[in-house]
Structure formats: structure tokens, C-alpha cells
Amino acid sequence: MFRRAASVLGAALRATYTTGSQCKRSSVLDMQGTIGFIGVGNMGAPMAANLLKAGLPVLVFDRNPAAVDKLVKLGAQAVGSPQEMGETPGVTAVLSMLPSTEHVADAYEGVSTA
């Protein structure tokens, strides 16, 4: 499961698209706008920190306020819920690094399956 998730995320971050007769490679570093990151624990925090180090604006949400506070100190902006993140103008992508199906369902649908 992890390899598939990593592969999908990698593909999204290094999307290749065609413009006319040229094939152009883009990355998350070419993005315009803000990146939302849901789940900034052991795996998500370093990823979000790297986006911040690259100079990208990042919104963060996690159930653990201490995890959010660490990234706010690095320049991230905290939001109170995944819904608030989705409603924030200028957010062009939302990434998540969540530990279980229940967390994913709660984050994206607002309903826990637990």
C-alpha cells in the first residue's frame, strides 16, 4: 500500500503534460498558489517542512496541535479543519499523510468510519 501511495504522490508531484508538440515536465515547485497538507506527524511533517524550505506557501492541519505548531514556526499557516483548508482561496493542491482509512474518511468526508 505504501509503495502505491508513494508512487501516486510522486507522479502527482512530477506530472508530465503535453503543450502543443512539446512535452513539458513540471513539479510541485512550479506550482502557483498554496499547498494544503493534512497530517503532519512523523511522515507528513518532514514533507511539509521541505515544501516550506523550497519557498512554497503551505497550510497545515493535524489533530495534534503540537505538530502544527512546529510547522507554523517554520512559516506554515495553520487551519482549524480540512474543510477550512478546502475553502481557503488560493489553495491549488491538498496532500495528505494519514495513518488509517478512518482518518482519511474523516479528513475528506467529515465522517469517521470508526
Side-chain angles (χ1 to χ4, degrees):
M1 173 111 175
F2 174 74
R3 281 189 174 175
R4 171 137 170 73
S7 174
V8 170
L9 179 59
L13 296 179
R14 295 181 305 274
T16 301
Y17 59 94
T18 303
T19 56
S21 61
Q22 295 182 344
C23 188
K24 187 173 182 181
R25 189 171 192 101
S26 72
S27 76
V28 71
L29 299 178
D30 298 328
M31 291 181 67
Q32 300 284 322
T34 301
I35 298 172
F37 212 107
I38 302 171
V40 290
N42 292 332
M43 291 180 66
M47 294 176 182
N50 283 334
L51 294 172
L52 289 164
K53 288 176 190 172
L56 297 168
V58 178
L59 293 179
V60 293
F61 172 78
D62 196 284
R63 292 179 177 183
N64 178 358
V68 171
D69 291 343
K70 288 179 185 178
L71 289 165
V72 167
K73 289 177 183 174
L74 295 177
Q77 180 182 348
V79 294
S81 69
Q83 181 178 351
E84 181 183 345
M85 183 178 292
E87 294 172 350
T88 302
V91 174
T92 55
V94 175
L95 306 173
S96 60
M97 190 57 56
L98 300 167
S100 71
T101 302
E102 290 80 19
H103 289 97
V104 173
D106 190 42
Y108 286 96
E109 298 173 1
V111 181
S112 178
T113 60

